[in-house]
Amino acid sequence: MSDHGLPSQKKPKLIVVVAFNRGEDVELFTAYGPTDQQSEERAIRMAKALASTHVGVIAWSRDANPALGDYGAPTTLFVSGDVPDME
């Protein structure tokens, strides 16, 4: 039998937005998020809106299957200002 008639299953994706500010010690701290987003487009819109009120903001995504502990490499969707290095 052939698989050609089956729709390809979309991999689950983790899509996140995080915004940062600086404390009195000039260290970055999380001021907003991390929040899960429903789509990459929504994450980018959210990050752009937060960029005007925070010293740094990043939106990123990665393929993710938490049930299996399987996570792909992160892809940056939008970045503005100062953000910590992604580990």
Side-chain angles (χ1 to χ4, degrees), residues 47-80:
K48 286 180 177 180
L50 291 167
S52 65
T53 57
H54 298 282
V55 299
V57 63
I58 187 167
W60 57 272
S61 69
R62 70 180 352 163
D63 292 335
N65 190 337
L68 298 176
D70 185 25
Y71 296 92
T75 299
T76 300
L77 304 172
F78 176 86
V79 66
S80 175

Side-chain angles (χ1 to χ4, degrees), residues 1-86:
M1 291 199 130
S2 173
D3 292 316
H4 293 104
L6 297 175
S8 61
Q9 230 181 356
K10 201 172 180 184
K11 285 187 175 182
K13 229 175 212 198
L14 178 62
I15 306 167
V16 177
V17 173
V18 186
F20 302 92
N21 284 338
R22 289 198 182 276
E24 291 180 14
D25 60 359
V26 302
E27 293 293 319
L28 290 173
F29 68 90
T30 303
Y32 174 86
T35 61
D36 294 332
Q37 301 296 312
Q38 296 299 313
S39 71
E40 291 180 347
E41 294 79 17
R42 182 177 171 151
I44 293 167
R45 282 194 310 271
M46 173 75 72
K48 286 180 177 180
L50 291 167
S52 65
T53 57
H54 298 282
V55 299
V57 63
I58 187 167
W60 57 272
S61 69
R62 70 180 352 163
D63 292 335
N65 190 337
L68 298 176
D70 185 25
Y71 296 92
T75 299
T76 300
L77 304 172
F78 176 86
V79 66
S80 175
D82 296 333
V83 298
D85 291 332
M86 291 181 64

